[in-house]
């Protein structure tokens, strides 16, 4: 069932919905975007508190909205559902069983869903995001209340800028979410990682000796903001996906100085170019891993125009060791993409990506085990599944184990495993931000087979029967429970 007011026109519309639901608090005293806001937000997130609107940040010319997606309830509100599982169920119902399994099945399945149930973006000639325009020397990033989140950060960062690029040869659009370090009044460091599509766009532009146009939208409606973070196949347009989630076309407008389109109802848009071959040191930055990422050279965006609504609201996010606001985003992806992962790997019954593993370090997977070494087959399939390939630890359990009950999973993983036989250790790609791997971009991985073992797997002792109370006694105690006075 869609939330009241969904789909939201823009960020302000979503903030109004949160306030009506008692999920937003306004902070009307001056608060410093350097460290102070971060500490307030972190305490609020860890207390399960509301979204926050800082009305008087001491840097910038506008209020700052944050912690919008910090709970699964608010994430569901953002996507217009009562439960995040509803969207996955919609996708699953539209995927036809005759589609091929494997990666081609994911592409075709998601493509079919988009074709059947969404509409492409709609271009408009005028847009709220261009009500106020600054060009040339009038561009000044200090108009924005960018954050310094941690004491060791390399400066001010803009943490929820939706970055738009196009492939220089094919024209294929990409929408991504990357941190942006403010180098100067009109320059930003583009921290796009090695596995990201925009990195490929930039590499092609540099090979051709061309500047790469970039447009960054800040403060979009919540569905578009989520879509920017979703791990979509490269040939699925993020705005088509957003249209599917919204049930309504996303309005887009041409930028003023670069050949790109941006959401018409964004709060702020930054337009500019990357010069081929130019790099500047970027970082350090306290990331969602809980550690500072080191200084590395990254491309530099030269901003030629800054446009915005007349009374814009800036949107950002705090990154830290979990729990943090990105919990809602990660859980949305886990639930929405479950049917697609099951299409690719039909052996999977369910899966969970623990927030403590920052959603890519660990996957807990249940299977309907049918043959020897079935668990190991699923581990290797996951390590070959798009961005799931970055998973470092996979725990496989039987289908009767609730993957979302970490106590139950731990009971199986601690007690059902002979670590001399049931542990698969291998190597492969890891996340760009992974600090534990001895080599950047690749490292060790482990798979734990916590399923019941079969005689055909060499387990000849006879797997013991688990203890369960008889249904008759359970029913008796249910009926007499009040009599016991407990």
């Amino acid at each position: 069932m869609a939330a009241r007011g969904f789909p939201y026109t823009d960020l302000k519309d979503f903030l109004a919905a949160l306030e009506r639901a008692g999920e937003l608090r306004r902070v009307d005293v001056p608060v410093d975007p350097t460290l102070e806001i971060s500490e307030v937000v972190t305490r609020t997130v860890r207390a399960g508190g509301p979204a926050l609107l800082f009305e008087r940040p001491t840097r910038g010319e506008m209020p700052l909205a944050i912690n919008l997606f910090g709970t699964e309830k608010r994430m569901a509100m953002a996507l217009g559902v009562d439960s995040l599982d509803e969207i996955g169920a919609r996708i699953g119902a539209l995927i036809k069983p005759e589609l091929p399994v494997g990666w081609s099945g994911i592409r075709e399945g998601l493509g079919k869903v988009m074709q059947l149930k969404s509409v492409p973006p709609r271009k408009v000639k005028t847009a709220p995001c261009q009500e106020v325009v600054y060009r040339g020397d009038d561009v000044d990033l200090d108009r924005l209340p960018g954050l310094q989140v941690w004491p060791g950060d390399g400066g001010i960062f803009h943490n929820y800028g939706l970055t738009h690029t196009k492939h220089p040869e094919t024209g294929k659009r990409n929408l991504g979410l990357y941190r942006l370090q403010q180098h100067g009044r009109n320059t930003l460091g583009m921290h796009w990682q090695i596995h990201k599509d925009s990195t490929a766009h930039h590499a092609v532009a540099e090979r051709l000796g061309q500047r790469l146009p970039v447009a960054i939208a800040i403060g979009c409606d919540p569905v578009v903001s989520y879509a920017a973070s979703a791990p979509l196949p490269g040939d699925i347009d993020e705005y088509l996906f957003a249209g599917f989630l919204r049930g309504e076309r996303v309005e887009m407008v041409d930028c003023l100085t670069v050949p790109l389109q941006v959401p018409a109802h964004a709060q702020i848009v930054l337009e500019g170019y990357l010069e081929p071959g130019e790099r500047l040191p970027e970082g350090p930055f306290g990331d969602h891993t809980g550690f500072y990422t080191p200084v590395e050279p990254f491309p530099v965006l030269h901003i030629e125009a800054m446009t915005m609504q007349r009374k814009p609201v800036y949107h950002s996010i705090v990154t830290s060791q979990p729990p943090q606001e990105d919990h809602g985003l990660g859980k949305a992806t886990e639930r929405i993409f479950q049917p697609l992962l099951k299409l690719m790997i039909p052996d999977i019954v369910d899966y969970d990506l623990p927030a403590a593993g920052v959603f890519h370090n660990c996957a807990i997977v249940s299977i309907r085990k049918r043959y020897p070494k079935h668990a190991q087959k699923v581990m290797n399939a996951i390590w070959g599944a798009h961005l799931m390939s970055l998973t470092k630890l996979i725990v496989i359990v039987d289908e009767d184990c609730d993957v979302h009950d970490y106590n139950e999973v731990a009971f199986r993983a601690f007690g059902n495993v002979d670590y001399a036989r049931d542990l698969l250790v291998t190597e492969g790609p890891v996340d760009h931000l992974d600090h534990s791997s001895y080599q950047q971009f690749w490292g060790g991985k482990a798979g734990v087979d916590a399923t019941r073992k079969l005689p055909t797997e060499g387990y000849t002792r006879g797997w013991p029967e688990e203890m369960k109370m008889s249904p008759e006694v359970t029913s008796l105690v249910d009926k007499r429970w009040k009599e016991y006075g407990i």
Side-chain angles (χ1 to χ4, degrees):
M1 184 175 70
R4 179 185 169 191
F6 186 85
Y8 310 105
T9 302
D10 62 5
L11 173 61
K12 294 174 190 172
D13 196 17
F14 179 48
L15 293 175
L18 290 176
E19 193 161 34
R20 289 192 299 269
E23 288 287 334
L24 175 75
R25 296 291 182 276
R26 295 174 180 266
V27 180
D28 61 3
V29 297
V31 188
D32 193 344
T34 298
L35 305 182
E36 186 180 8
I37 284 180
S38 171
E39 178 65 14
V40 173
V41 171
T42 298
R43 294 189 189 191
T44 303
V45 169
R46 292 177 181 174
L52 300 173
L53 183 64
F54 291 93
E55 296 183 311
R56 299 169 63 192
T58 58
R59 178 170 50 249
E61 301 174 352
M62 62 198 69
L64 181 152
I66 201 164
N67 194 27
L68 305 187
F69 310 127
T71 65
E72 290 184 44
K73 177 183 178 181
R74 284 201 296 281
M75 193 70 239
M77 282 187 66
L79 300 179
V81 293
D82 293 325
S83 166
L84 295 174
D85 283 305
E86 290 179 33
I87 300 171
R90 283 167 54 199
I91 292 174
L94 291 166
I95 295 174
K96 303 301 182 184
E98 65 269 16
L99 286 171
V101 299
W103 181 238
S104 62
I106 285 219
R107 284 202 314 272
E108 291 187 34
L110 192 51
K112 180 164 282 194
V113 168
M114 299 300 101
Q115 183 181 10
L116 289 172
K117 286 292 182 179
S118 68
V119 284
R122 177 173 62 229
K123 181 180 174 182
V124 296
K125 293 183 178 179
T126 60
C129 70
Q130 295 173 346
E131 290 173 339
V132 178
V133 177
Y134 300 100
R135 297 176 187 257
D137 291 341
D138 291 329
V139 172
D140 187 353
L141 291 170
D142 282 335
R143 297 181 189 275
L144 310 179
L147 299 180
Q148 181 179 344
V149 174
W150 296 103
D153 283 356
I156 296 170
F157 287 81
H158 304 276
N159 294 337
Y160 221 108
L162 277 58
T163 302
H164 300 73
T165 59
K166 283 198 301 189
H167 192 288
E169 293 176 326
T170 68
K172 175 71 175 67
R173 171 172 54 204
N174 182 68
L175 171 64
L177 181 60
Y178 317 109
R179 75 182 192 227
L180 307 162
Q181 182 173 359
Q182 184 170 322
H183 287 319
R185 176 182 56 80
N186 61 354
T187 53
L188 288 171
M190 307 296 297
H191 187 274
W192 44 39
Q193 300 162 24
I194 191 172
H195 305 107
K196 305 298 186 181
D197 290 329
S198 290
T199 306
H201 292 184
H202 185 228
V204 173
E206 288 197 312
R207 176 170 55 80
L208 298 173
Q210 298 176 358
R211 296 197 299 177
L212 183 72
V214 177
I216 296 167
I218 299 174
C220 296
D221 84 75
V223 171
V224 170
S225 292
Y226 167 70
S229 75
L232 295 171
D235 52 357
I236 300 295
D237 185 84
E238 286 84 3
Y239 284 104
L240 202 59
F241 182 57
F244 166 72
L245 295 176
R246 285 170 54 89
E248 183 177 290
R249 301 170 78 174
V250 178
E251 292 188 344
M252 308 286 288
V253 69
D254 287 338
C255 290
L256 301 181
T257 62
V258 292
L260 296 167
Q261 292 183 345
V262 289
H265 295 276
Q267 300 294 304
I268 303 138
V269 176
L270 309 175
E271 304 176 10
Y273 291 89
L274 304 180
E275 295 290 347
E278 184 181 15
R279 303 287 191 278
L280 280 179
E282 194 273 355
F285 179 75
D287 222 307
H288 64 278
T289 60
F291 296 88
Y292 289 104
T293 51
V295 175
E296 293 183 273
F298 277 94
V300 181
L301 177 65
H302 296 269
I303 301 167
E304 298 193 343
M306 171 189 284
T307 74
M308 61 185 67
Q309 295 192 17
R310 284 198 180 90
K311 293 184 177 181
V313 176
Y314 179 84
H315 177 211
S316 193
I317 191 170
V318 165
T319 54
S320 78
Q321 176 182 335
Q324 196 46 268
E325 180 184 349
D326 56 4
H327 170 83
L329 296 166
K331 280 297 168 184
T333 292
E334 174 197 291
R335 295 294 88 200
I336 290 170
F337 285 84
Q338 186 223 43
L340 295 166
L341 186 62
K342 290 173 71 173
L343 177 67
M344 187 174 187
I345 310 171
D347 318 71
I348 292 176
V349 173
D350 199 0
Y351 79 123
D352 183 279
L353 304 175
V358 295
F359 298 104
H360 60 250
N361 283 339
C362 177
I364 302 164
V365 180
S366 59
I367 65 170
R368 188 171 296 111
K369 186 170 179 176
R370 296 187 291 112
Y371 48 79
K373 299 300 180 181
H374 196 168
Q376 286 78 359
K377 181 256 192 185
V378 172
M379 294 172 195
N380 285 299
I382 291 171
W383 283 321
H386 195 36
L387 290 182
M388 290 293 289
S389 65
L390 303 180
T391 307
K392 295 204 296 183
L393 174 64
I394 300 172
V395 180
I396 307 289
V397 294
D398 288 300
E399 64 177 316
D400 61 349
C401 178
D402 180 358
V403 294
H404 310 295
D405 182 342
Y406 297 157
N407 286 330
E408 174 69 9
V409 172
F411 176 75
R412 307 284 182 113
F414 298 163
N416 280 9
V417 179
D418 178 342
Y419 283 94
R421 294 175 177 266
D422 302 331
L423 179 66
L424 176 63
V425 178
T426 186
E427 290 181 332
V430 298
D431 188 75
H432 189 134
L433 303 179
D434 190 291
H435 63 279
S436 65
S437 58
Y438 283 53
Q439 302 292 327
Q440 192 175 30
F441 308 131
W442 65 274
K445 297 163 178 284
V448 177
D449 179 2
T451 63
R452 299 176 183 87
K453 303 310 178 298
L454 305 173
T456 47
E457 293 177 297
Y459 186 88
T460 58
R461 298 173 57 196
W463 197 263
E465 181 183 355
E466 293 183 32
M467 301 173 296
K468 291 185 179 179
M469 183 52 68
S470 67
E472 295 81 9
V473 173
T474 301
S475 178
L476 172 66
V477 172
D478 285 344
K479 291 176 182 177
R480 296 198 59 197
W481 187 255
K482 289 185 180 179
E483 294 181 44
Y484 305 143
I486 299 173

